[in-house]
């Protein structure tokens, strides 16, 4: 008997659903084991049929999202937080910095591009006060962060939830899959705003470019750094960042880069702090990040805006 799988798409870009379709032959292998009973991007199913496994993409941004998530929890035996938005709020979590009223005032409060007297569209679902990772609303059985997760990890997670095959997901960082070599260098300067570097074989940190690979969980097989682009942290924080309250992105990356290049650690810390909306963007609405005693994201963003 095939296991029944239901999916839902909350506030997010649908990229994680596309990633499921992008499983190619792995999806065909899964089809032998499962029956998809609800997939918003592929099926016109408005209800929430009973399922063994529920896969939820996106964060809770509106009352509609909250209702849909609760229906998924009621109708599914096990629930997977699928993608970084579901697990940590994702890029739309930047709304956590400002709150609902400030965002609505900005969007409908007389911007030069607004029609005169513009207002929130009638019938639109009411916004939550902030962007909320889904485990703050319902119980979650598994997490698979990533933007989107690599097909290798998607297949493992689904097969594990179905009880078909259990392969432990790696706790390693993006650096574990990166082919670049970390080494000490001389004369490197902090490259602000850069996401690439000249030497394709040397670690970005060794070349003065901020790369978040060492503080990001590997759910991507290091696709970006191996193709010449510094890691942006889209798979969310590494295991040690999650477990240790005193560790944060700013201090860990600054310390490593300073040791490799001789660039003053404080200069790097100040840069990352000033660009917090970029370097913390994928998890800033999660208590995993804003709950750290040394992380003051709202204060940093306000200071940077002056």
């Amino acid at each position: 008997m095939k296991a029944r799988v239901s999916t839902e798409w909350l506030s997010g870009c649908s990229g994680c659903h596309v990633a499921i379709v992008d499983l190619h032959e792995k999806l065909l292998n899964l089809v032998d084991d499962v029956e998809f009973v609800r997939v918003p991007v592929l099926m016109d199913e408005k209800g929430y049929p009973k399922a063994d496994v529920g896969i939820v993409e996106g964060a809770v941004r509106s009352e509609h999202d909250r209702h849909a998530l609760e229906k998924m929890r009621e109708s599914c035996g096990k629930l997977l937080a699928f993608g970084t938005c579901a697990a940590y709020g994702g890029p739309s979590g930047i709304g956590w910095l400002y709150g609902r009223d400030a965002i609505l005032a900005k969007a409908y409060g007389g911007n030069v591009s607004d029609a005169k007297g513009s207002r929130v569209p009638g019938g639109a679902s009411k916004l939550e006060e902030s962007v909320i990772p889904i485990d703050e609303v319902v119980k979650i059985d598994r997490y698979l962060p990533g933007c989107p997760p690599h097909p290798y990890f998607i297949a493992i997670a689904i097969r594990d939830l179905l009880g078909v095959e259990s392969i432990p997901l790696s706790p390693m960082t993006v650096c574990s899959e990166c082919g670049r070599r970390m080494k000490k260098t001389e004369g490197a300067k902090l490259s602000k705003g850069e996401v690439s570097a000249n030497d394709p074989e040397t670690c970005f940190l060794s070349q003065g470019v901020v790369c978040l690979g060492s503080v990001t969980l590997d759910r991507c097989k290091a696709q970006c750094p191996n193709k010449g682009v510094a890691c942006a942290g889209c798979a969310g924080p590494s295991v040690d960042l999650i477990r240790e309250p005193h560790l944060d992105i700013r201090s860990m990356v600054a310390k490593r880069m300073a040791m490799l290049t001789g660039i003053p650690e404080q200069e790097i810390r100040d840069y990352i702090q000033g660009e917090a909306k970029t370097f913390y963007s994928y998890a800033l609405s999660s208590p995993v990040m804003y709950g750290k005693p040394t992380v003051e994201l709202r204060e940093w963003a306000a200071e940077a805006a002056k």
Side-chain angles (χ1 to χ4, degrees):
M1 182 176 178
K2 292 185 177 182
R4 293 164 62 87
V5 175
S6 176
T7 77
E8 178 58 291
W9 167 19
L10 307 180
S11 288
C13 68
S14 83
C16 290
H17 267 80
V18 174
I20 293 177
V21 179
D22 205 28
L23 284 172
H24 300 300
E25 70 275 9
K26 289 185 176 64
L27 179 61
L28 295 177
N29 293 336
L30 283 174
V31 169
D32 292 335
D33 303 315
V34 307
E35 175 190 0
F36 287 96
V37 298
R38 186 180 198 282
V39 184
V41 297
L42 296 176
M43 303 167 61
D44 186 22
E45 171 59 66
K46 301 294 193 300
Y48 292 88
K50 288 289 183 182
D52 301 293
V53 172
I55 299 174
V56 178
E57 171 193 351
V60 175
R61 170 74 275 193
S62 67
E63 290 183 346
H64 167 78
D65 291 336
R66 181 180 290 270
H67 172 75
L69 178 58
E70 290 172 345
K71 285 293 185 182
M72 285 293 287
R73 180 69 278 181
E74 292 172 7
S75 61
C76 300
K78 295 179 180 177
L79 213 55
L80 171 67
F82 185 47
T84 301
C85 291
Y88 301 113
S92 63
I94 198 170
W96 176 87
L97 292 174
Y98 305 103
R100 175 182 57 207
D101 293 341
I103 290 172
L104 291 175
K106 185 72 173 180
Y108 297 99
N111 282 321
V112 293
S113 60
D114 287 350
K116 194 172 183 179
S118 63
R119 63 183 68 182
V120 179
S125 180
K126 184 179 179 181
L127 290 183
E128 296 274 343
E129 176 58 31
S130 183
V131 178
I132 305 171
I134 66 173
D135 64 357
E136 294 193 48
V137 178
V138 300
K139 178 180 179 294
I140 297 302
D141 299 289
R142 293 284 193 284
Y143 295 83
L144 184 62
C147 188
H150 188 282
Y152 170 79
F153 295 109
I154 296 174
I156 288 179
I158 293 177
R159 295 178 74 83
D160 178 54
L161 279 170
L162 295 173
V164 174
E165 184 179 20
S166 182
I167 300 176
L169 289 171
S170 167
M172 305 296 282
T173 67
V174 171
C175 287
S176 69
E177 293 284 344
C178 180
R180 292 170 178 264
R181 188 162 61 93
M182 190 177 282
K183 64 181 183 181
K184 284 193 172 184
T185 55
E186 295 183 356
K189 296 182 179 179
L190 181 59
S191 297
K192 297 181 179 179
E194 294 291 337
V195 296
S196 61
N198 292 329
D199 186 345
E201 297 182 352
T202 300
C203 173
F204 286 105
L205 297 182
S206 298
Q207 300 183 73
V209 174
V210 173
C211 175
L212 303 186
S214 63
V215 292
T216 301
L217 186 67
D218 172 39
R219 290 296 177 265
C220 61
K221 297 285 186 181
Q223 299 273 337
C224 292
N226 284 330
K227 295 292 190 299
V229 179
C231 174
C234 72
S238 56
V239 173
D240 52 353
L241 261 177
I242 295 171
R243 289 178 174 171
E244 301 294 339
H246 67 287
L247 297 179
D248 79 271
I249 291 173
R250 177 188 57 159
S251 59
M252 293 175 74
V253 172
K255 185 175 184 178
R256 287 177 179 132
M257 183 188 285
M259 292 175 64
L260 292 168
T261 63
I263 298 171
E265 185 173 334
Q266 190 60 49
E267 179 184 351
I268 306 166
R269 287 169 61 95
D270 290 346
Y271 169 57
I272 296 175
Q273 179 175 317
E275 301 294 334
K277 286 195 289 188
T278 296
F279 294 119
Y280 287 79
S281 60
Y282 287 91
L284 63 77
S285 68
S286 168
V288 167
M289 196 57 68
Y290 69 69
K292 288 181 176 292
T294 59
V295 173
E296 299 174 325
L297 293 166
R298 285 174 173 150
E299 290 80 357
W300 296 349
E303 183 66 26
K306 292 180 180 177

